[in-house]
Amino acid sequence: MRTVVVAGHGMVGHRLVEALIGRDLQRQWRIVVLAEEVRPAYDRVALSSYVDSWDADALTLPAVLDDRVELRLGDPCVRIDRRKRTVRTASGRRVVYDALVLATGSAPFVPPVPGHDLPGCYVYRTPEDLDAIRVAAQRAMQTTAAGRRSGVVVGGGLLGLEAAHALRQLGLSPHVVEIAPRLMPMQVDEGGGALLRRFVEGLGVRVYCGRATQAIEPDRGRMLVRLSDGTELDTDVVVFSAGVRPRDQLARDAGLSVGERGGVLVDAGCHTSDADIWAIGECAAVEGRCYGLVAPGYAMAEVVADRLLGGHATFPGADTSTKLKLLGIDVASFGDAHATAEGALEVIHNDPVAGRYAKLVVSDDARTLLGGVLVGDAEAYGTLRALVGAVLPADPGALISPSGGELDAGALPAGAQVCSCHAVTVETIGTAVRDGATTVPALKACTKAGTGCGSCVPMLKKLLAAQGVEQSKALCEHFTHSRAELFEVVAATRIRTFSELVAKHGTGRGCDICKPAVASILASLSGVLSPGSHILDGEQATLQDTNDHFLANLQRNGTYSVVPRVPGGEITPQKLIVLGEVARDFGLYTKITGGQRIDLFGARVEQLPAIWRRLVDAGFESGHAYGKALRTVKSCVGTDWCRYGVQDSVGMAIALELRYRGLRAPHKLKSAVSGCARECAEARSKDFGVIATENGWNLYVCGNGGFRPRHADLLVSDVDTETLVRTIDRFLMFYVRTADRLQRTAPWLEELEGGLDHLRDVIVHDSLGICAELDVAMAAHVAGYADEWRGVLEDPAKLARFTSFVNAPGVPDPTIEFVEERGQPTPAHRRPGQPVLIAGPTLTVVP
Amino acid sequence: MTAQLQRHWRVVCRYDDLVPERGVAALIDGVAVAVFRTHDGAVHALSNMDPFSGASVLSRGIVGDREGRPTVASPIYKQAFELATGVCLDDPGVVVATYPVRVVNGVVEVWSS
């Protein structure tokens, strides 16, 4: 086995490790990664989101777990000995390499103005930088009068605006100084820059374009920043985000060639001037040019992985197109955004009132699209970027006018790139569709398209449609509606029975797909439409899956399991004893669930009422383990007991579980509350998870464990209890209203157009104007809650259904048999040949 | 009706005890039979044994239709069985037993052979 040493564990170095391990099927290489930072590779592109949670682990990229990879954190490569093919690390360790890959990235450029190294001056590159800025901001809060606390950002590019946003979130008034005449000079043109500036200033950011920073001086515990036009800015913090410079010192010291403007010089195969050494990412100058974006770095990593395995891949050149949302403002630029091609024409649509600027750069005959800039509304980005280099399907002016026709995805050329993060073309998508990937999730899985920034997901949908794949949303053969549409039909028409609904809006008599879905919709709306109703009332009972019909979970041998609610996982000794006694008396198998409660297995249908009579009398109620409904809100012990807890997580979990118990949803809902950032309740693996902070609560949504685990995303941070509960109310009701049948919150969010930002817009900023409705619906649910099992025990007609045989009500099902396993009864049929224990005499207790 | 026939019709329950589009289980000579009343008032009887899981549960499935043919879906793994024939519509090689069934003076009876 040969050894490749990777110097640097940023996003690109990490990508190389992933790519090489993934492809090196013959196990030719072992990999030694020498990382400077003490944390493993993290998503630096998302660094600004660190300000929302202050949880650096949330940025961590998925680790490559493989015995061929050795990751040494905090021990960077400091010297290369090319003759001996050895590197030395900061700790003095020597590693012999067969191949060396430099992935040392870049360093922030700090202009050498006087005072640039004063305390209070920072760069914006790592979580540690942000931690330091946070501390400085907190100090300013204590020492500077309110209204005067401010921060100056030197550099008005993408990163500078992100830094300004961070300062604003930290309570400082941000000032941005940019030497160019407009903000984001690399990405946008003058017109786009002007609109961007108006947006940014509208958010309280002061902008100084066309001015240089001349000096920074200490000033009575604060600082004074002098600009080239004489402006003086009082400030508490200065953040430099004036671009980056490749970190090529290791290569220079080793005598490798470097580019004219810095960077390790490499050819299109990412080879340096030494055949055993490669360079990738921001430290590399590919044929003399450095790239400050992650996508070209990823492409270089793929090239080197291929070449290490004997391939001949070359760097395909980089698409520097970008689409981003800055301070809530859409900005996109693609192709030849600055019209540098000879004879290029610019077609501009500028509407400062609507806050929309769009420019297309086209060839001199106005037929071929070369590039463009979009500010304020970048929805057309996906299609337009894919069209770069192609003959335009319509008049360029029409393409960017607000009333412009939808672009036909079918008109895209085969080579057009749909997903620039993973370099996926129209052709690749077409092949995947023909091979059977006919949904967006399937395309994501087999082509990786849409799994990076996600901006091409709408485009994937259009391509599917263009290929003639009908994305049928019909629930089943009885309804052409999706679940969300049926929900709206029921809410609007106030139809309360399945028979009426299927007669008026469907065909046939329904099935095991639409009936439970409609039952769930009727139950979700019962608080509003039919207060006081029970899910087993009248015809509704016939719609229910067996679990809901018998309010218990059907198991493989035809028996049921029983799960009483244990809110927040807190239970008294007396109640624990009752559970034990019930299990013993009815011969039930007991197991602790993952949701901090106790599951009692092996109950026959006719035993359920007697079991529940005992449980209800002891103060238990239904735990809805059988329903597509709220299951549990798990908790850690929180401030009552834990030395580290910062909030009462148990109290919050109980309050949430009691608030949302019984809420019927498209799928089950799980939740948890952790009392501090250590996250012992595993809240981020839940549909909605709450983590305590010193200032309140952080709410995470749309996580799950299961078949495809997904960490929940931060929706709001540091909110008070009232805001937290209101936000969860709306989140749940919006999900209940709009999700597909059996679609959990994670895939729901992935399919939600606009994703997390849209979700936040809807339920925090009320962008659809539906929050009042959602609030009313949740209030009705909370007010209308009643224990379903108590409802059965009080109604002889419902109780009568719990019989084994209609003509022999007391006779147990003779096919149900148990054997003893580890001291408990378990179903017999799985272990043929062993003695069979027929349920004992204490089992036939029928009220 | 001959004496022999009468001996083989077994009483299940009153017709009015059957909920439309829901099943009940009956014990007929030691064997569990699932009896369903469909929307149009017809009554069907099938073996209660779900052949895919081996559990005696078909009476607890959801009743509906497929292309107009009345069905019950197994509550375990959800395969649909045609009520009139017992044929599994998701796997036509699998068939569950059906039983003759009638309603006499408001009482449902199943033929046991």
Side-chain angles (χ1 to χ4, degrees):
Chain A
M1 221 179 208
R2 289 179 292 167
T3 299
V4 54
V5 170
V6 181
H9 198 227
M11 298 175 77
V12 172
H14 185 64
R15 179 60 166 265
L16 172 68
V17 175
E18 281 180 339
L20 188 56
I21 289 297
R23 294 193 208 165
D24 182 12
L25 303 176
Q26 264 105 50
R27 300 177 68 89
Q28 300 175 46
W29 292 96
R30 67 182 273 263
I31 306 174
V32 179
V33 185
L34 302 175
E36 180 181 60
E37 290 186 55
V38 290
R39 60 181 85 252
Y42 57 88
D43 185 355
R44 198 188 303 282
V45 174
L47 180 67
S48 291
S49 70
Y50 178 56
V51 180
D52 298 324
S53 65
W54 298 105
D55 174 12
D57 290 340
L59 296 173
T60 306
L61 295 172
V64 179
L65 301 171
D66 192 287
D67 60 348
R68 286 168 286 174
V69 182
E70 181 191 344
L71 173 59
R72 291 182 63 90
L73 296 173
D75 193 14
C77 173
V78 294
R79 203 182 132 76
I80 305 167
D81 185 335
R82 289 167 57 194
R83 203 175 43 80
K84 294 185 184 160
R85 292 205 298 190
T86 310
V87 295
R88 203 178 72 212
T89 71
S91 69
R93 184 178 175 226
R94 278 172 199 284
V95 186
V96 178
Y97 64 80
D98 297 288
L100 169 64
V101 183
L102 302 175
T104 47
S106 57
F109 170 64
V110 177
V113 296
H116 68 82
D117 48 2
L118 285 172
C121 292
Y122 302 94
V123 294
Y124 196 86
R125 183 82 181 158
T126 64
E128 286 73 20
D129 293 333
L130 268 63
D131 286 337
I133 293 169
R134 182 192 193 188
V135 169
Q138 284 165 346
R139 196 169 48 235
M141 288 301 187
Q142 286 151 15
T143 55
T144 307
R148 291 189 63 211
R149 300 158 186 152
S150 72
V152 171
V153 178
V154 179
L158 160 59
L159 209 55
L161 293 182
E162 289 200 355
H165 179 52
L167 291 180
R168 187 162 155 260
Q169 281 178 286
L170 290 169
L172 304 179
S173 304
H175 301 256
V176 173
V177 182
E178 168 59 48
I179 198 162
R182 60 177 183 275
L183 294 171
M184 295 185 70
M186 304 288 281
Q187 288 85 8
V188 307
D189 59 354
E190 201 186 327
L195 179 60
L196 179 60
R197 177 177 182 148
R198 279 202 22 225
F199 275 131
V200 169
E201 289 182 332
L203 294 167
V205 179
R206 303 285 299 274
V207 178
Y208 309 83
C209 284
R211 276 166 272 195
T213 306
Q214 267 185 338
I216 305 166
E217 296 161 8
D219 181 25
R220 286 162 291 167
R222 299 179 74 211
M223 284 173 290
L224 192 67
V225 179
R226 293 185 192 281
L227 306 186
S228 53
D229 67 343
T231 306
E232 294 182 349
L233 303 173
D234 280 324
T235 190
D236 300 284
V237 175
V238 174
V239 179
F240 289 103
S241 60
V244 294
R245 295 290 181 269
R247 297 180 66 188
D248 54 14
Q249 197 58 45
L250 263 181
R252 286 176 191 268
D253 293 346
L256 296 172
S257 305
V258 293
E260 260 176 49
R261 283 186 282 172
V264 189
L265 195 63
V266 297
D267 61 17
C270 295
H271 255 129
T272 66
S273 51
D274 180 322
D276 297 321
I277 304 180
W278 321 68
I280 56 177
E282 295 185 359
C283 72
V286 186
E287 297 179 320
R289 180 168 175 199
C290 290
Y291 296 89
L293 293 170
V294 75
Y298 279 171
M300 294 179 218
E302 298 285 342
V303 167
V304 171
D306 180 73
R307 293 210 164 217
L308 286 172
L309 297 171
H312 301 281
T314 56
F315 181 64
D319 180 359
T320 53
S321 301
T322 40
K323 176 189 170 201
L324 38 102
K325 208 180 189 91
L326 267 173
L327 302 144
I329 307 155
D330 277 332
V331 179
S333 104
F334 52 96
D336 184 10
H338 297 296
T340 56
E342 180 147 359
L345 305 172
E346 297 187 345
V347 183
I348 292 170
H349 174 90
N350 191 2
D351 184 347
V353 180
R356 193 170 177 281
Y357 176 88
K359 176 180 83 173
L360 293 188
V361 178
V362 294
S363 58
D364 53 3
D365 61 359
R367 294 190 58 202
T368 307
L369 181 64
L370 301 178
V373 174
L374 304 169
V375 177
D377 173 6
E379 196 161 314
Y381 169 78
T383 320
L384 289 173
R385 193 191 51 74
L387 273 172
V388 169
V391 173
L392 284 171
D395 172 56
L399 289 178
I400 50 173
S401 76
S403 55
E406 268 284 282
L407 274 178
D408 182 6
L412 292 175
Q417 212 173 70
V418 180
C419 169
S420 56
C421 302
H422 294 282
V424 184
T425 61
V426 168
E427 191 175 11
T428 309
I429 297 291
T431 308
V433 172
R434 280 190 294 280
D435 289 348
T438 53
T439 62
V440 170
L443 284 175
K444 282 182 173 179
C446 72
T447 66
K448 283 187 133 183
T451 59
C453 71
S455 69
C456 63
V457 170
M459 190 65 198
L460 295 179
K461 288 185 185 158
K462 286 185 195 166
L463 283 170
L464 279 169
Q467 292 248 340
V469 178
E470 198 165 324
Q471 297 290 294
S472 172
K473 48 189 175 45
L475 201 55
C476 62
E477 69 173 76
H478 305 100
F479 288 99
T480 57
H481 313 66
S482 68
R483 181 195 168 278
E485 288 167 347
L486 267 187
F487 191 99
E488 295 306 323
V489 169
V490 174
T493 59
R494 306 180 82 87
I495 289 175
R496 280 179 232 174
T497 67
F498 179 83
S499 286
E500 188 184 349
L501 187 67
V502 79
K504 288 186 176 160
H505 298 278
T507 53
R509 286 305 307 167
C511 63
D512 60 308
I513 292 171
C514 59
K515 282 186 167 180
V518 170
S520 164
I521 291 170
L522 292 171
S524 293
L525 283 167
S526 67
V528 181
L529 295 186
S530 42
S533 65
H534 191 282
I535 66 160
L536 298 182
D537 280 343
E539 188 199 62
Q540 209 175 330
T542 69
L543 310 178
Q544 306 289 3
D545 234 325
T546 190
N547 283 7
D548 278 303
H549 196 259
F550 293 107
L551 306 174
N553 291 47
L554 180 65
Q555 302 298 327
R556 62 188 308 155
N557 68 342
T559 62
Y560 290 81
S561 79
V562 170
V563 190
R565 188 167 295 291
V566 180
E570 184 186 79
I571 186 166
T572 61
Q574 189 49 42
K575 280 187 158 180
L576 271 176
I577 289 167
V578 169
L579 288 179
E581 287 175 344
V582 167
R584 181 194 62 205
D585 294 349
F586 289 86
L588 304 177
Y589 168 94
T590 54
K591 191 166 191 312
I592 311 285
T593 73
Q596 300 186 333
R597 43 194 193 173
I598 295 171
D599 207 339
L600 314 174
F601 288 79
R604 296 192 316 274
V605 82
E606 70 274 16
Q607 293 178 301
L608 291 168
I611 290 171
W612 272 103
R613 173 75 66 200
R614 296 259 302 262
L615 293 172
V616 168
D617 287 348
F620 285 104
E621 60 177 14
S622 164
H624 297 98
Y626 48 80
K628 305 301 179 203
L630 178 82
R631 297 287 171 84
T632 72
V633 183
K634 226 171 125 165
S635 69
C636 66
V637 289
T639 36
D640 283 348
W641 293 92
C642 179
R643 287 173 293 155
Y644 305 109
V646 293
Q647 306 280 356
D648 175 16
S649 47
V650 181
M652 175 57 78
I654 293 172
L656 293 177
E657 186 159 341
L658 296 183
R659 183 170 181 82
Y660 304 122
R661 63 187 163 177
L663 177 67
R664 287 305 200 283
H667 210 308
K668 62 186 170 188
L669 287 164
K670 297 184 177 185
S671 178
V673 181
S674 278
C676 78
R678 284 169 186 76
E679 238 285 72
C680 296
E682 297 163 326
R684 289 197 65 202
S685 65
K686 304 300 182 193
D687 295 284
F688 60 103
V690 178
I691 302 179
T693 71
E694 281 171 13
N695 308 314
W697 308 96
N698 283 355
L699 172 61
Y700 295 81
V701 294
C702 302
N704 60 227
F707 184 66
R708 232 182 98 208
R710 182 184 190 279
H711 264 145
D713 291 320
L714 183 68
L715 186 69
V716 292
S717 53
D718 283 339
V719 293
D720 58 24
T721 298
E722 191 190 334
T723 310
L724 174 76
V725 172
R726 189 175 61 235
T727 311
I728 301 174
D729 283 359
R730 293 172 179 179
F731 166 72
L732 291 176
M733 276 301 171
F734 188 49
Y735 163 68
V736 164
R737 213 163 128 161
T738 60
D740 271 340
R741 167 186 167 267
L742 297 188
Q743 185 178 41
R744 284 195 71 181
T745 56
W748 169 70
L749 179 67
E750 277 177 26
E751 285 202 2
L752 195 64
E753 214 142 313
L756 187 69
D757 287 337
H758 175 65
L759 177 62
R760 192 181 290 117
D761 283 346
V762 172
I763 64 178
V764 178
H765 308 306
D766 200 11
S767 61
L768 298 181
I770 59 170
C771 284
E773 269 176 66
L774 301 177
D775 292 346
V776 166
M778 186 57 85
H781 164 76
V782 174
Y785 170 80
D787 175 24
E788 284 167 2
W789 259 109
R790 183 181 286 275
V792 167
L793 296 176
E794 288 170 354
D795 182 348
K798 292 190 176 80
L799 270 179
R801 297 188 190 125
F802 290 82
T803 54
S804 54
F805 298 106
V806 67
N807 60 347
V811 179
D813 180 347
T815 68
I816 296 174
E817 298 161 343
F818 296 95
V819 294
E820 196 173 292
E821 181 88 358
R822 295 181 294 276
Q824 294 209 74
T826 53
H829 66 280
R830 291 166 63 194
R831 295 169 189 80
Q834 287 195 16
V836 166
L837 169 81
I838 306 287
T842 52
L843 294 180
T844 50
V845 186
V846 177
Chain B
M1 197 174 290
T2 69
Q4 192 184 4
L5 274 177
Q6 278 175 341
R7 207 168 59 232
H8 284 87
W9 285 106
R10 298 281 186 259
V11 170
V12 174
C13 61
R14 287 184 303 131
Y15 180 75
D16 289 345
D17 291 340
L18 292 177
V19 177
E21 304 198 301
R22 200 78 211 183
V24 296
L27 199 57
I28 306 294
D29 297 337
V31 175
V33 174
V35 181
F36 302 93
R37 172 174 162 184
T38 50
H39 178 63
D40 57 9
V43 181
H44 300 274
L46 319 177
S47 164
N48 196 42
M49 183 66 72
D50 169 24
F52 293 95
S53 62
S56 185
V57 292
L58 285 188
S59 61
R60 297 181 225 153
I62 287 179
V63 176
D65 66 4
R66 280 216 189 160
E67 293 166 359
R69 295 191 284 179
T71 55
V72 61
S74 163
I76 303 248
Y77 300 119
K78 315 294 178 193
Q79 295 89 351
F81 297 88
E82 186 176 11
L83 290 180
T85 62
V87 173
C88 175
L89 299 180
D90 294 304
D91 190 350
V94 178
V95 182
V96 299
T98 55
Y99 296 83
V101 59
R102 67 179 186 181
V103 180
V104 178
N105 298 329
V107 173
V108 180
E109 297 178 345
V110 165
W111 172 260
S112 169
S113 53

